Amino acid sequence: MARPFGAAASAEAHERLREEREAGEEETGKEVRSWKGPPGAHEAALAAGSAVHRALEEWDLDAQPAPELARQLARLPALVAGVAAPEQREAAADRARALLTRAFSAGLVARLHASRDSVVARELPVLLPPPADGAGAVGYVSGTIDLLYRGADGGLVVADFKTDQVEGEALTRRAAAYATQGAAYTRAVQEALGLRTPPRFELWFLAAGEII
């Protein structure tokens, strides 16, 4: 009864990130306040992430990339307004604009355009039974796959967009934190489609402009 009935596929990853953040706060002491940023910074970052995910979900892959970028950038204030408090909207829109522009300049959007004929789904809902290891939720695991497409070899690929402000060596550590989320998503696709092997899992770090 102490375990939840349902859980998000990203729950364990978020808990691990929270623990890492708290451990870092204990080590830095007086630097905690500067790490957290100004009041509302975390909420603005979440709103920016939601807006960017929505823009990529509704990105017109048949349009010319540059004009489509301009169209999506123009939409960001309205997307942010739907998920952010009034006092956080400007900061959220600025961050969303920077993330989308960085993803474009780093070639991630070009990668998405190049895969347009191979895209199977975007923002695909996931619902699956919990793992058989007896840990976590007892009823179900849910989530949303940002992008499901076929790679050059014809195999399915699960891609998850991340808006974390990390780069360099920190990317590898952050990718490891999302391993359980990737395992849930690939298991869901494998079981739903009866695949012999699970799909490949990719993390698209938009701020860093890298795929791991």
Side-chain angles (χ1 to χ4, degrees):
M1 291 183 66
R3 291 163 57 191
F5 183 71
S10 59
E12 186 173 338
H14 289 162
E15 177 63 19
R16 179 172 174 179
L17 292 175
R18 183 188 65 79
E19 292 175 352
E20 290 180 358
R21 182 173 69 246
E22 291 180 351
E25 290 175 357
E26 291 176 359
E27 293 176 2
T28 55
K30 294 182 180 179
E31 299 299 323
V32 173
R33 182 173 299 175
S34 62
W35 186 93
K36 288 183 177 179
H42 180 65
E43 290 76 10
L46 291 177
S50 296
V52 169
H53 274 77
R54 180 74 175 274
L56 292 175
E57 175 192 3
E58 299 178 352
W59 194 283
D60 186 353
L61 298 179
D62 293 321
Q64 290 297 315
E68 180 62 11
L69 172 65
R71 186 179 79 88
Q72 294 296 344
L73 289 175
R75 298 180 63 219
L76 288 179
L79 296 178
V80 164
V83 293
E87 65 274 12
Q88 298 161 1
R89 290 172 185 171
E90 183 177 357
D94 287 344
R95 176 161 178 160
R97 193 176 297 109
L99 284 167
L100 207 54
T101 302
R102 173 58 178 158
F104 186 87
S105 64
L108 298 189
V109 173
R111 172 81 171 265
L112 185 61
H113 271 272
S115 304
R116 63 184 179 275
D117 294 332
S118 302
V119 171
V120 177
R122 286 185 279 180
E123 294 297 309
L124 178 67
V126 165
L127 182 67
L128 68 161
D133 59 8
V138 298
Y140 68 89
V141 175
S142 63
T144 304
I145 293 175
D146 292 335
L147 174 66
L148 180 65
Y149 73 100
R150 291 196 178 277
D153 60 356
L156 288 172
V157 182
V158 172
D160 199 66
F161 305 142
K162 295 300 181 186
T163 58
D164 308 45
Q165 294 286 349
V166 292
E167 58 184 17
E169 296 180 358
L171 282 173
T172 302
R173 296 192 298 272
R174 186 59 57 89
Y178 290 119
T180 55
Q181 183 181 5
Y185 286 166
T186 55
R187 178 168 70 92
V189 174
Q190 181 181 14
E191 293 180 359
L193 301 181
L195 305 178
R196 295 182 61 184
T197 58
R200 187 169 77 248
F201 181 60
E202 295 179 342
L203 289 163
W204 292 33
F205 286 99
L206 306 183
E210 295 190 33
I211 296 176
I212 294 182

